[in-house]
């Protein structure tokens, strides 16, 4: 990578070091505790992950804390897991050589009310004998009618991804109770879900059970997928799978926000500046809902509340009309007309749009979207739903995120990010002459932390 990447202003990124999975997001006492996989002395992933810790009132501005959990005391790495807030309990994946794929679930409890430091406890769950699992990690826990239930991601024989389930009356003694859900890597209806599920979680959204998984296959991280279905008797019957994310997203973690509604944070891969000593970022907070049989992730209302000012109210924008942007840190809302075939948003440092740094294309004629950044490794594309719904695109330093309604969410890193994106140009086709798309722009500038 040449040049210097611009640090995000309203996405969380570490001052120094590497981060990946967000973990144990908890709202309590008016603030959010956000934990995350952290390697403080590296800009690449290392097995000796810690649990980093940050606090936030709004999930847009963060204050980093000291590490909550570090390797040692029998752990070569403290990997992903969850927090059971009402019982001040952390459950994490403990790994040791030589086989880092097979973890053990260990517990920890806070030494102080602020959750700044945690004391490790006993190992409570091991990979069940006889399953033949080639991977076992990432516990999540919830109260299931009359018992505590844990899910742990697994890779079973025959290239089958699974979530194994355990039950406990007291969060201390756990009993294996079988396969909660599984799916062969040969199945592709709705979405392909690989040969290992990482970070499996059951989420209740608008009265429906939804299984959320991060798809892994052949040592490659893929994307986040989910299935609507029914959880009964410790088993999940999937009814419809879908790919929820595209591009840089992975390792989603669900939580209840300050209104008690289901929300999501995700890891953004490929974002960072190794020369400045930091790599990785978290997505903005996302609110989950179900509309017409599809799970939707949309920008959380906290993001709109953080707008510094309105730069341009939502209005028609003619083809080729240059729209001035406030900074690298902004939000653009697009409302396409009902009969438009193609809309393209091009973000550039030049008023004439000659050098787009980011381009979002929505092609309803071909039922395809793409988000492209010339300096990124790959353009990201996917199927576009025929409903011409509102789209939100967020620029923040070295990354771009687009929220496409029923089509999912997509993110790409922008690297290097040395030129100033100062202009937006909109192109559209297929509608009537007076059917220019509607566009609004907001400034989300917050002072980025210095490298």
């Amino acid at each position: 990578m040449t040049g210097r990447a611009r640090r995000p202003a309203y996405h969380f990124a570490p001052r120094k070091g590497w981060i990946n999975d967000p973990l144990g997001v908890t709202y309590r006492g008016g603030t959010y505790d956000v934990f995350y996989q952290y390697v403080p002395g590296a800009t690449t992933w290392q097995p000796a992950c810690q649990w980093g810790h940050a606090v936030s009132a709004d999930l847009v501005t963060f204050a980093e804390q000291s590490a909550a959990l570090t390797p040692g005391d029998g752990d070569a790495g403290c990997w992903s897991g969850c927090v059971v807030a009402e019982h001040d309990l952390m459950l994490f994946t403990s790994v040791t050589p030589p086989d880092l794929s097979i973890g053990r679930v260990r517990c920890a409890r806070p030494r102080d009310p602020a959750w700044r430091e945690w004391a490790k406890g006993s190992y409570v769950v091991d990979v069940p004998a006889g399953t033949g699992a080639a991977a076992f990690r990432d516990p999540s826990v919830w109260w299931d009618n009359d018992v505590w239930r844990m899910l742990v991601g697994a890779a079973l024989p025959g290239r089958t991804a699974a979530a194994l389930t355990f039950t406990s009356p007291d969060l201390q003694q756990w009993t294996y109770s079988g396969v909660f859900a599984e799916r062969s890597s040969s199945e592709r209806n709705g979405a392909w879900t690989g040969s290992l599920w990482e970070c499996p979680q059951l989420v209740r959204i608008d009265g429906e059970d939804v299984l959320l998984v991060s798809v892994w296959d052949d040592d490659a991280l893929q994307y986040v997928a989910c299935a609507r279905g029914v959880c009964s008797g410790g088993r999940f019957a999937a009814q419809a799978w879908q790919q929820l994310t595209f591009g840089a997203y992975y390792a989603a973690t669900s939580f209840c926000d300050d209104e008690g509604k289901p929300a999501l944070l995700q890891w953004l891969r490929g974002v960072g500046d190794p020369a400045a000593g930091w790599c990785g970022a978290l997505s903005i907070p996302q609110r989950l809902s179900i509309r017409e049989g599809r799970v939707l992730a949309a920008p959380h209302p906290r993001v709109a509340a953080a707008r510094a000012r309105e730069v341009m109210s939502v209005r028609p924008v003619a083809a080729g009309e240059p729209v001035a942007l406030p900074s690298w840190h902004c939000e653009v809302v697009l409302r396409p007309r009902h009969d438009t075939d193609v809309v393209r948003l091009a973000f550039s440092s030049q008023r004439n749009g000659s050098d787009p740094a980011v381009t979002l294309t929505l092609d309803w004629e071909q039922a395809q979207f793409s988000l492209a950044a010339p300096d990124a490794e790959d353009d990201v594309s996917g199927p576009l739903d025929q409903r011409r719904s509102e789209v939100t695109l967020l620029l923040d330093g070295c990354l771009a995120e687009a929220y496409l309604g029923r089509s999912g969410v997509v993110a790409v890193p922008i690297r290097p990010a040395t030129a100033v994106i100062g202009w937006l140009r909109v192109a559209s086709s297929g509608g009537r002459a007076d059917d220019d798309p509607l566009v609004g722009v907001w400034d989300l500038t917050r002072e980025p932390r210095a490298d």
Side-chain angles (χ1 to χ4, degrees):
M1 181 175 79
T2 60
R4 294 297 299 276
R6 291 178 177 268
R7 181 180 287 278
Y10 57 90
H11 291 74
F12 176 74
R15 293 182 186 275
K16 297 291 183 180
W18 164 279
I19 70 167
N20 50 284
D21 307 11
L23 309 165
V25 181
T26 304
Y27 182 76
R28 62 191 189 103
T31 61
Y32 290 91
D33 288 277
V34 178
F35 301 95
Y36 49 89
Q37 294 282 266
Y38 184 43
V39 185
T43 55
T44 57
W45 179 83
Q46 305 292 331
C49 289
Q50 305 180 1
W51 275 47
H53 184 202
V55 295
S56 175
D58 56 8
L59 294 174
V60 177
T61 55
F62 294 84
E64 285 186 65
Q65 310 297 306
S66 58
L69 201 66
T70 59
D73 303 317
D75 308 313
C78 302
W79 290 12
S80 296
C82 64
V83 170
V84 185
E86 60 269 41
H87 291 273
D88 288 335
L89 178 69
M90 178 187 291
L91 292 159
F92 67 96
T93 304
S94 169
V95 296
T96 55
D99 190 356
L100 298 176
S101 295
I102 299 292
R104 306 175 72 192
V105 179
R106 191 174 185 181
C107 68
R109 294 189 180 275
R111 297 183 187 273
D112 60 280
W115 286 6
R116 299 297 187 264
E117 184 181 354
W118 293 68
K120 296 176 184 176
S122 59
Y123 298 91
V124 296
V125 164
D126 288 285
V127 61
T131 60
F136 182 76
R137 52 181 174 264
D138 307 342
S140 64
V141 171
W142 77 98
W143 180 252
D144 186 13
N145 294 320
D146 58 355
V147 70
W148 291 101
R149 185 170 299 281
M150 179 191 298
L151 298 185
V152 183
L156 299 183
R159 292 181 51 79
T160 297
L164 307 184
T165 185
F166 304 77
T167 58
S168 174
D170 55 9
L171 294 168
Q172 298 178 40
Q173 301 298 318
W174 292 88
T175 302
Y176 177 56
S177 57
V179 177
F180 183 75
E182 63 182 333
R183 197 169 190 239
S184 169
S185 61
S186 65
E187 296 186 54
R188 294 184 175 270
N189 187 32
W192 175 72
T193 57
S195 57
L196 164 64
W197 290 342
E198 296 192 295
C199 307
Q201 295 156 59
L202 187 73
V203 189
R204 189 76 174 167
I205 306 174
D206 294 341
E208 294 192 42
D209 293 326
V210 175
L211 179 62
L212 189 75
V213 300
S214 291
V215 177
W216 182 101
D217 190 75
D218 288 341
D219 285 329
L221 313 180
Q222 303 293 328
Y223 44 74
V224 178
C226 61
R228 294 168 37 249
V230 176
C231 174
S232 178
R235 301 293 181 269
F236 180 80
Q239 297 173 339
W241 281 96
Q242 69 178 83
Q243 184 173 338
L244 183 65
T245 74
F246 298 81
Y249 294 110
Y250 196 72
T253 191
S254 61
F255 62 97
C256 287
D257 64 14
D258 56 339
E259 297 180 14
K261 295 183 178 180
L264 210 63
L265 277 180
Q266 306 191 52
W267 170 36
L268 290 169
R269 299 170 285 168
V271 173
D273 188 344
W278 66 277
C279 277
L282 303 185
S283 71
I284 62 164
Q286 301 162 352
R287 179 72 68 76
L288 297 172
S289 63
I290 295 177
R291 297 290 183 272
E292 298 177 311
R294 297 280 292 183
V295 177
L296 273 64
H300 195 278
R302 286 288 192 175
V303 178
R307 292 168 175 167
R309 63 187 175 96
E310 183 181 73
V311 176
M312 186 180 81
S313 60
V314 178
R315 64 167 178 82
V317 174
E321 175 188 348
V323 176
L325 300 175
S327 72
W328 271 85
H329 314 285
C330 64
E331 175 183 3
V332 175
V333 170
L334 166 73
R335 295 174 185 165
R337 304 295 183 140
H338 70 278
D339 58 350
T340 300
D341 288 337
V342 180
V343 173
R344 181 173 290 106
L345 304 180
F347 298 85
S348 171
S349 64
Q350 302 295 320
R351 183 184 174 92
N352 64 9
S354 61
D355 62 339
V358 179
T359 303
L360 174 65
T361 302
L362 306 169
D363 187 339
W364 286 281
E365 191 172 37
Q366 299 297 322
Q368 191 84 359
F369 74 81
S370 70
L371 184 62
D375 293 308
E377 291 181 355
D378 298 294
D379 298 344
V380 180
S381 62
L384 182 63
D385 188 82
Q386 289 300 312
R387 295 166 179 80
R388 290 156 173 77
S389 57
E390 181 174 286
V391 169
T392 297
L393 191 139
L394 299 161
L395 293 175
D396 192 17
C398 58
L399 62 94
E401 282 186 276
Y403 290 78
L404 308 177
R406 288 168 51 88
S407 301
V409 296
V410 55
V412 296
I414 308 169
R415 48 181 201 257
T418 51
V420 175
I421 297 178
W423 299 91
L424 163 67
R425 280 181 173 260
V426 182
S428 63
S429 65
R432 298 186 300 271
D434 59 348
D435 270 355
D436 294 326
L438 306 177
V439 177
V441 180
W442 287 264
D443 186 2
L444 285 168
T445 301
R446 291 169 177 269
E447 188 64 29
R449 292 172 298 177
D451 289 333

